[in-house]
Amino acid sequence: MPRSRHTALFTLITVAALTLTACAEPADPAGDGSDKGVTKGKTPTTDVVSKVRKDEAAAKLLPAGVREAGTLRIASSVGTPPGAFYEKDGSTPAGADIDFADAAARVLGLELKREVASFEAILPALGSGKYDLGTGNFGVTDERRKTIDFVTYINDGQGFAVREDSELKKVTDLTQLCGLDVATGAGTTFEVTLQENLPRCAEAGKKPYNVKTYADQAAVWISLQQNRTDVVMSTINGLRYAVSQQEGLRFLNEFKRLDVGFAFKKGTPLAPAFQAAVNRLKEDGTYDRILKKWGTSESAIETSEISPPELK
């Protein structure tokens, strides 16, 4: 197939996959990947942000210069529902990450200047000062804490999904993946985990698994649906959402839990204010309303923390 026709076909498939995953109501009441209560083809539109009011005590924790400017530059990774994806217009970001960031900003009396950026580019850009904060379901790991500060707002983590015909039932050890093709997002903790554990297959006398990374989340699911990969490793919430919206797939199991947070340059003076903002959202009920809207109530945390140790 000529390159131009192949590119066009891939574009059509990608758009179809994004429409499938992004334009549906991501409720998962059972917490098991089922689609009970889900109305496919609709995006939740409940307004859980506009009524949030400024909290003076939290706002006073901001640096004076930030309070005076009244704005912050935020980079958002978009493409993995229910965290962040595009509305049907193809340009308006929506999702839990978007709501949490916007709500926290309202508590602090700030306006966010949002720019969409690729997941793998955001953390380095924070270090260079291009952005003030970033969102993208960034899991808090000890390695990342060396160069990034986090303010936690949910608990998510790592898990797996497969096609219905897969013989895999539950992955409790990565050597169970030996000999398989594993799809995951580029620059993620999943890629790091898979690469770090790859030698264990040889140690066990097994054929190594093959890690296939994709910058586009839609491409991850296309690879699974088209039998080019055998299993997907991704976020727990993202997996449960996706399998509830696509035929022939099933959520396998949770593998590891991780705290997720707003990401900042190491040593940021913004962290205490955002921590106070998240905790204020918990107090006034906005926090629970956001989780309920996106079907992720099981990801609630008791209190926001600044760069806590990685969950083991």
Side-chain angles (χ1 to χ4, degrees):
M1 179 180 292
R3 178 182 176 84
S4 59
R5 289 180 61 194
H6 175 81
T7 302
L9 178 59
F10 179 79
T11 300
L12 288 172
I13 294 173
T14 301
V15 170
L18 281 173
T19 299
L20 180 65
T21 58
C23 298
E25 186 169 342
D28 183 18
D32 60 2
S34 67
D35 60 352
K36 300 173 184 177
V38 175
T39 303
K40 295 185 179 182
K42 293 185 178 180
T43 303
T45 57
T46 305
D47 179 3
V48 292
V49 175
S50 66
K51 293 183 179 180
V52 175
R53 296 292 176 257
K54 181 179 179 180
D55 183 84
E56 294 295 342
K60 286 181 179 178
L61 297 175
L62 290 167
V66 174
R67 290 200 307 272
E68 292 171 5
T71 62
L72 286 177
R73 299 160 299 169
I74 182 172
S76 296
S77 173
V78 175
T80 306
F85 57 93
Y86 286 118
E87 288 279 17
K88 291 181 180 180
D89 62 10
S91 61
T92 303
D97 286 348
I98 306 301
D99 281 348
F100 273 121
D102 289 349
R106 290 183 71 89
V107 171
L108 299 174
L110 298 173
E111 179 186 355
L112 296 180
K113 301 294 185 181
R114 179 173 281 110
E115 182 176 323
V116 174
S118 63
F119 178 92
E120 63 271 23
I122 292 178
L123 298 186
L126 293 173
S128 70
K130 182 176 181 179
Y131 306 111
D132 298 305
L133 72 155
T135 58
N137 205 284
F138 291 113
V140 181
T141 67
D142 291 337
E143 183 63 28
R144 284 175 173 170
R145 289 193 307 134
K146 295 176 182 178
T147 56
I148 296 293
D149 279 341
F150 294 93
V151 172
T152 61
Y153 59 94
I154 61 169
N155 176 269
D156 197 347
Q158 304 175 340
F160 297 95
V162 293
R163 291 185 301 277
E164 286 285 4
D165 61 2
S166 174
E167 296 182 359
L168 282 175
K169 302 302 180 184
K170 186 175 183 180
V171 176
T172 57
D173 190 290
L174 294 182
T175 56
Q176 293 171 258
L177 302 177
C178 296
L180 301 178
D181 291 319
V182 186
T184 195
T188 61
T189 58
F190 320 113
E191 181 184 5
V192 172
T193 297
L194 289 167
Q195 294 293 355
E196 287 180 347
N197 286 273
L198 191 57
R200 296 181 55 209
C201 289
E203 293 169 1
K206 299 180 179 181
K207 180 182 178 181
Y209 51 76
N210 181 30
V211 182
K212 294 187 176 183
T213 60
Y214 302 87
D216 182 354
Q217 189 67 17
V220 172
W221 293 108
I222 292 170
S223 74
L224 185 65
Q225 291 279 24
Q226 295 185 343
N227 297 318
R228 290 186 281 110
T229 54
D230 303 298
V231 57
V232 168
M233 187 177 188
S234 188
T235 67
I236 295 167
N237 288 337
L239 291 169
R240 283 177 166 153
Y241 177 100
V243 301
S244 74
Q245 302 304 312
Q246 300 182 71
E247 300 295 336
L249 303 182
R250 59 184 166 90
F251 176 74
L252 206 56
N253 64 281
E254 296 184 8
F255 183 70
K256 178 182 178 180
R257 279 277 174 176
L258 283 174
D259 287 322
V260 171
F262 299 118
F264 303 85
K265 180 180 180 179
K266 190 70 176 177
T268 179
L270 298 173
F274 272 82
Q275 179 189 30
V278 174
N279 287 330
R280 176 59 185 158
L281 293 173
K282 288 188 67 67
E283 292 171 5
D284 70 15
T286 301
Y287 182 88
D288 288 337
R289 285 190 286 273
I290 293 174
L291 291 180
K292 182 179 180 180
K293 173 183 176 179
W294 298 107
T296 56
S297 294
E298 290 186 351
S299 285
I301 58 174
E302 291 187 8
T303 187
S304 178
E305 297 182 87
I306 297 175
S307 299
E310 178 180 348
L311 296 177
K312 301 298 184 181

